[in-house]
Structures are given as C-alpha cells and as structure tokens.
Amino acid sequence: MPSYTKYIKHLPQFCIIENYFTPEEIEKIIDFEELQEFTEGKMGTNGKNVNKEHRDSDISWLHCNPETRWVFDKFGSLLGQVNHSHFMYDIDGFDAFQYTKYKPKQHYNWHYDAFAEFHAFERKISACIMLTDPRKYSGGDFQIVPYGNIEKIESYKPSHGSVIFFASWMPHRVAPVKSGVRKSLVAWIMGRRTC
C-alpha cells in the first residue's frame, strides 16, 4: 500500500451539530424577524421564478450589521471547524442568511443548491440553522440523499439551535409542514470553481 494512503480520510460531506446555538440565542435571532420584510421564496439563479408546486415559503434576508454580527461570528467559527472535519473545500465565505418560514402546507420540493450554469464562484456547502422547536410544528422534515442513492433518503428534524451542513450538490427538500411554523436561517458557503 502506498505510504500516502495514511493521509487519506473519508469526508462525509454531511453533518448535524446539535444545539450549537442556545435557546436564548435562538430567541434573539427570532426577534430580528420583526424587522424583516418577507416575500415569496423564488427559484433559479435569477431569483425570479415562482412555482408554488415546487417551492412555497416566505423569506427575508439577514445581513451582517452591528446587531447581527454575533450570529455571523458564531456561525463562522463553527463553519471553519466543520469544513476541516467534513469537507476540506477551498471556501471564501458567505454573504447573508436567508430567513425562511414554512407555514402549514408550505414546502420546498427536491432540489440542489449548486448552480447548474458556469459561475466563477459556486455554492460548495449549504447550511441550515434550525430556529423552531420541533415539538412546535409537525411535518417539515429535512430530507436528503447524501450519497447519491435515491433509495436511501434520510429524514431529520433537529432540535432548535442545531445546524445542518451538507454539500450543495446533494439533493434535499423540506417536506410539507402540517401544523405550526418552521423557521430557519439558510446560508450558502461560496468558493472559487476549480475547473
């Protein structure tokens, strides 16, 4: 066996960090909601396509400012650790969080976050910070095909404060919410395209 194989490790490209944000921190994030204007979630790289059969959600954007900086700092610290242990991607950072709300019957059908077209920078890692206690809504599971086998769909409903990380090319969806409201912050970590 070649000597370099001792440096090769399996990178799962998916993980959930449970309870990373405290309940008090989650409440502070939810308080930002009162300052946000929500619009329909759209699809496509131009951000103009509406197809409620495929995606039905309400979104706003949480940008970095003196009041929100702590969220970006705390998330950024975790991102560095998770990238090292699960991805080892060459990344350049992320811009803003998408604050997403799913009310009853709202959902986001199967999709992936990586761009289909060529761009100098691409989405490499997708992340979702869960804001709602899973006991306060039904349905709305996060489902993913982590290793390309559509026969092995994995379904999760992490506790609020948990962060889901996955490679942006992995197919995933938010199942329809049956009751309550599911809230999350979504981020796409960008990097220069390597080809």
Side-chain angles (χ1 to χ4, degrees):
M1 184 182 324
S3 62
Y4 62 80
T5 57
K6 68 181 180 180
Y7 301 108
I8 296 174
K9 68 174 184 175
H10 174 69
L11 296 171
Q13 299 182 315
F14 172 80
C15 71
I16 299 176
I17 308 300
E18 293 282 350
N19 305 309
Y20 180 67
F21 287 88
T22 68
E24 293 77 22
E25 289 171 331
I26 292 299
E27 284 304 315
K28 285 175 68 176
I29 294 171
I30 290 173
D31 285 345
F32 294 139
E33 184 178 325
E34 295 177 12
L35 306 174
Q36 305 296 317
E37 287 188 25
F38 285 81
T39 60
E40 287 182 318
K42 297 182 173 70
M43 302 177 307
T45 53
N46 62 10
K48 296 180 180 177
N49 301 329
V50 175
N51 178 349
K52 289 202 171 194
E53 287 185 18
H54 190 76
R55 180 184 190 182
D56 189 2
S57 62
D58 300 311
I59 67 164
S60 68
W61 296 95
L62 190 67
H63 295 277
C64 189
N65 60 49
E67 288 76 35
T68 63
R69 176 87 195 201
W70 66 270
V71 182
F72 286 76
D73 288 343
K74 183 163 182 170
F75 176 79
S77 176
L78 178 62
L79 171 60
Q81 297 171 47
V82 168
N83 184 42
H84 180 75
S85 62
H86 287 76
F87 299 93
M88 291 297 287
Y89 288 160
D90 183 9
I91 56 175
D92 292 289
F94 64 103
D95 185 22
F97 288 105
Q98 180 181 272
Y99 193 127
T100 310
K101 296 193 295 187
Y102 294 93
K103 295 176 284 200
K105 298 185 180 178
Q106 290 188 312
H107 66 284
Y108 198 160
N109 215 335
W110 290 105
H111 66 286
Y112 53 88
D113 295 336
F115 298 135
E117 309 89 4
F118 180 84
H119 294 269
F121 286 84
E122 63 182 339
R123 293 174 175 172
K124 292 193 171 185
I125 303 172
S126 298
C128 182
I129 302 171
M130 304 306 297
L131 300 179
T132 308
D133 184 332
R135 295 171 296 186
K136 295 186 176 177
Y137 66 96
S138 62
D141 291 28
F142 174 81
Q143 298 182 316
I144 190 165
V145 181
Y147 307 109
N149 186 349
I150 197 68
E151 302 293 321
K152 294 189 177 177
I153 295 169
E154 296 183 9
S155 188
Y156 300 94
K157 202 165 182 180
S159 60
H160 56 310
S162 299
V163 188
I164 304 169
F165 289 94
F166 57 97
S168 296
W169 55 262
M170 291 180 175
H172 58 284
R173 75 168 188 160
V174 175
V177 170
K178 296 176 182 174
S179 64
V181 179
R182 179 193 191 272
K183 301 177 183 181
S184 63
L185 290 184
V186 176
W188 298 281
I189 295 81
M190 308 295 288
R192 187 171 292 279
R193 188 178 287 272
T194 54
C195 62

